[in-house]
Amino acid sequence: MARTNDDVAAVLEEYADLLAITGHEDFKIRVYQKAARSIGAYPDDIAGYDAAALRRIPNVGESIAAKVAEYLRSGTMAKLEELRGRIPAGVRALTHIPALGPKRAMVLHERLGVDSPASLESAIAAGALRGLPGFGPKTEENLLHGIALLRDSGQRVHLGVAMPLAEDIVAALEAVRGCRRCGYAGSLRRMKDTIGDIDVLATSDRPRVLMDAFVGLSQVTEVIVRGDKKTSLRTGQGLQVDLRVVPPDAWGAAVQYFTGSKAHNIRTREIAQHHKLKLSEYGLFDAVTEEKIVSRTEEEVYQRLGLPWIPPTLREDTGEIEAALAGALPDLVTEADVRGDLHTHTDLTDGHASLEDMVAAAAARGYAYYAVTDHGPNLYMQQMTLGKAVAQRERLRELDGAYGPRLLHGIELNIDPDGEVDWPPDVLAGFDVCVASVHSHFDLPRDRMTGRLVRAAKNPHVSIIGHPSARLIGRRPPIDADWDEVFRACARSGTALEINAFPDRLDLAAELIRRARPYGVKFAVDSDSHAVGHLANLRYGIGTAQRGWLTADDVINTWPLDRLTAFLRKNR
DNA sequence: GCCGTTTTCGGCCCGACTGTTTTCAGTCG
């Protein structure tokens, strides 16, 4: 369920695109894009705002405030409707074809009447582009290729796909002679939950050798562009990987630049300008003399801009610049802060490893405590019974301390459509930790869904709501609930919200985490492991927690055991 | 159209690569 802010941001983005297609000045287009970002990132819901209230949002001036107020009032914006009337929706879709931007999309529309990717394909086939200025034979070929790519859509992938691939590529390039330094940047370094392409950065005195190695990687199916400074290729999964090679002493400026986000970079460059400096991937320069000032490390670059180093997971221009200037950046939770995992499975239900193997793996990770939370009986196919749970508890007590971690016996309960869970209070009281999660009935009306989650949170034996939105990235949208109401209930009842670290879940998502924190909600970053190898997925959950601006104090499984057990008991 | 450690007017982030050009526009990140 989109917030009003997201809706308005999308409308302004569309307006900016249509201005670009109709040939308006670049700066005017950027202003609308900037305003769209500011409104999308604005913490309060702008539903019902009038023009005066809207003008208090950064980058929203008189004209945009009037347009947005009109839209909020009437659900429509006259200027946008006028452009929509002139430009068919398909023309905007043309600009989604790789290598086709607004300028040439406009040429195609005006000269040939092309109004969709499909009609462009026909026009090319009919030879209609021949003789059109700016469109040669190579362009035709590229456009056809781009339309095909768009059709079987280069979908974004989740971290679990992109991260291992990036790490393999970085390891391979580090082994190449002459490679001084190599790492991934971009949305992957920022730990976004989905990744459009992988950005790899390297320093080398022999860039050509590195580029040769890069295009020769086994994962490569297509070389998109090839140069000494930049090469782009596509892997078998259709994922684009870019490699940029910069001189060794430019590492800091380059990794800052290629980590992004774009919005964050625009802000840092503006700050540079105000200091009469110029920031590029090659360094921070004096704007007048062009003399290089710093470039070696990110810390130096930020420092010279008057900022502390900003963690990559915060670099979205959603307040981190202001916080940095005010000396108020959060002391983010890290993987090293985590003392244990509170949501894991064994082969008693749908896990693939034995209790002993899971506990040994947890011990190897250095955990101080570790909870086993197999599924309760209401997930019928798991065939759980109270007898099996009690037997598991006895075995767990025998193993307690034998491997290292203090072992907690838990259960993952199922939240039914009414907010009830598998067992009555007297049975639940026997567990050290109860996680409760939604596993079905994903499309209840919003008020019922909200009531369902609130009731589960209020259950005195439920300490953690597992994967709260039940989303599966790319496959299932999050459930619709009044999240602010859920957050209030969790804060009041002392129920933690899970940040499920499984890479196709990452649930809660960062935006909701950040919204929940001011209510005083606590969080548990859990792996939801079903196999030994899954324990390491925790890092994706920590990245997501960082994107939600969380500190270690916000995350209950960074706490010492006595503080944790007091929280889990919920004042019972 | 927005904004202000240079400004209420005059500027707006920067560089690489491609393809179509004979010096550069368009696109992308």
Side-chain angles (χ1 to χ4, degrees):
Chain A
M1 180 56 193
R3 282 196 313 159
T4 316
N5 302 36
D6 301 323
D7 186 25
V8 169
V11 163
L12 291 176
E13 285 284 358
E14 181 184 353
Y15 191 64
D17 282 355
L18 294 179
L19 286 177
I21 292 166
T22 49
H24 285 77
E25 308 88 325
D26 281 352
F27 56 81
K28 193 166 170 180
I29 294 153
R30 274 203 300 273
V31 161
Y32 280 95
Q33 291 170 337
K34 237 165 140 174
R37 277 198 308 271
S38 292
I39 289 174
Y42 197 65
D44 299 327
D45 194 311
I46 62 166
Y49 273 33
D50 61 11
L54 289 165
R55 288 203 59 174
R56 286 197 286 274
I57 302 170
N59 303 308
V60 176
E62 190 182 337
S63 171
I64 294 181
K67 288 189 180 77
V68 172
E70 176 198 355
Y71 180 77
L72 291 175
R73 216 171 37 243
S74 66
T76 174
M77 193 186 290
K79 288 279 200 181
L80 176 62
E81 293 305 328
E82 184 193 322
L83 286 177
R84 280 177 175 169
R86 283 167 52 196
I87 310 295
V91 176
R92 190 179 174 216
L94 285 178
T95 64
H96 299 146
I97 299 170
L100 185 59
K103 293 284 196 304
R104 293 194 304 170
M106 178 169 61
V107 171
L108 290 168
H109 179 232
E110 285 186 338
R111 301 279 294 265
L112 302 177
V114 167
D115 60 2
S116 69
S119 72
L120 174 56
E121 204 167 21
S122 316
I124 294 170
L129 273 64
R130 308 277 160 75
L132 207 57
F135 291 84
K138 189 72 186 161
T139 301
E140 285 191 7
E141 197 181 302
N142 288 343
L143 288 175
L144 287 174
H145 184 54
I147 293 167
L149 276 178
L150 190 65
R151 189 174 304 125
D152 40 74
S153 94
Q155 282 292 322
R156 295 177 72 86
V157 300
H158 61 65
L159 278 173
V161 174
M163 186 66 87
L165 175 62
E167 288 173 338
D168 285 350
I169 291 172
V170 167
L173 294 178
E174 278 175 334
V176 175
R177 271 177 71 90
C179 176
R180 296 263 204 105
R181 195 157 180 186
C182 183
Y184 58 81
S187 49
L188 194 55
R189 185 164 177 240
R190 303 199 311 277
M191 286 279 214
K192 260 194 85 151
D193 51 13
T194 62
I195 307 296
D197 55 30
I198 295 175
D199 295 298
V200 179
L201 181 67
T203 62
S204 174
D205 302 315
R206 303 169 64 194
R208 189 157 298 175
V209 180
L210 206 56
M211 291 305 187
D212 286 342
F214 184 55
V215 300
L217 289 171
S218 61
Q219 296 94 334
V220 178
T221 53
E222 181 192 344
V223 177
I224 302 164
V225 298
R226 166 83 197 249
D228 277 351
K229 297 189 169 76
K230 174 186 173 174
T231 294
S232 298
L233 47 79
R234 209 179 308 279
T235 70
Q237 300 146 304
L239 205 55
Q240 183 173 329
V241 187
D242 296 340
L243 173 63
R244 296 290 299 243
V245 180
V246 298
D249 71 350
W251 172 264
V255 77
Q256 195 281 329
Y257 178 83
F258 290 112
T259 296
S261 66
K262 188 170 184 166
H264 177 88
N265 284 358
I266 289 174
R267 293 296 305 278
T268 51
R269 286 181 179 220
E270 281 171 359
I271 292 169
Q273 269 193 330
H274 291 152
H275 287 76
K276 297 199 180 202
L277 303 169
K278 190 185 74 172
L279 181 59
S280 79
E281 58 264 53
Y282 295 111
L284 189 61
F285 300 87
D286 185 300
V288 181
T289 66
E290 310 245 303
E291 185 190 352
K292 191 201 286 188
I293 299 167
V294 287
S295 64
R296 217 172 38 82
T297 68
E298 275 195 329
E299 286 80 358
E300 286 177 342
V301 171
Y302 279 106
Q303 187 193 16
R304 190 60 185 72
L305 295 175
L307 297 167
W309 180 79
I310 298 175
T313 44
L314 298 186
R315 299 182 195 171
E316 300 291 345
D317 188 24
T318 55
E320 77 281 4
I321 301 274
E322 289 74 11
L325 286 168
L329 283 174
D331 186 9
L332 295 179
V333 62
T334 68
E335 203 175 354
D337 295 322
V338 173
R339 296 178 196 241
D341 201 327
L342 299 177
H343 180 178
T344 70
H345 296 268
T346 73
D347 57 8
L348 182 62
T349 57
D350 58 351
H352 301 287
S354 67
L355 177 63
E356 289 77 5
D357 287 350
M358 292 303 284
V359 170
R365 288 178 62 81
Y367 286 151
Y369 45 81
Y370 181 74
V372 174
T373 57
D374 273 310
H375 288 286
N378 286 7
L379 232 53
Y380 302 107
M381 68 282 210
Q382 306 297 349
Q383 306 273 307
M384 178 60 105
T385 63
L386 183 53
K388 287 187 189 177
V390 170
Q392 183 185 53
R393 183 178 305 158
E394 285 165 5
R395 177 66 185 141
L396 190 100
R397 299 293 185 231
E398 288 167 18
L399 293 175
D400 191 15
Y403 291 84
R406 180 66 219 283
L407 299 180
L408 304 176
H409 191 230
I411 191 82
E412 183 183 8
L413 300 165
N414 181 58
I415 306 175
D416 80 8
D418 295 320
E420 280 297 293
V421 297
D422 312 45
W423 277 313
D426 61 313
V427 174
L428 299 182
F431 290 95
D432 300 320
V433 50
C434 293
V435 178
S437 323
V438 167
H439 295 103
S440 61
H441 303 89
F442 302 113
D443 47 11
L444 295 182
R446 173 182 256 228
D447 55 342
R448 264 197 86 190
M449 192 67 87
T450 306
R452 177 189 194 182
L453 291 169
V454 167
R455 185 156 179 209
K458 284 182 173 167
N459 186 318
H461 294 279
V462 170
S463 305
I464 300 169
I465 303 291
H467 45 73
S469 83
R471 74 166 177 170
L472 291 175
I473 294 172
R475 288 186 288 149
R476 184 167 69 214
I479 56 177
D480 184 22
D482 179 343
W483 290 108
D484 296 282
E485 194 57 41
V486 174
F487 299 155
R488 263 191 291 275
C490 286
R492 239 188 336 251
S493 61
T495 312
L497 287 170
E498 182 174 75
I499 299 171
N500 189 295
F502 225 88
D504 66 353
R505 288 192 184 271
L506 293 178
D507 183 9
L508 278 184
E511 295 73 26
L512 285 174
I513 295 169
R514 205 170 161 194
R515 212 162 113 198
R517 186 175 184 261
Y519 288 97
V521 176
K522 297 299 179 191
F523 302 85
V525 182
D526 295 331
S527 72
D528 194 2
S529 288
H530 287 66
V532 165
H534 293 164
L535 290 170
N537 286 337
L538 201 86
R539 60 177 173 157
Y540 303 129
I542 291 295
T544 303
Q546 292 187 344
R547 292 178 60 83
W549 289 52
L550 296 190
T551 67
D553 190 59
D554 299 317
V555 178
I556 62 172
N557 51 316
T558 67
W559 296 353
L561 184 63
D562 53 353
R563 186 179 177 199
L564 173 70
T565 33
F567 180 90
L568 295 176
R569 290 194 58 76
K570 295 185 85 170
N571 305 316
R572 286 198 309 272

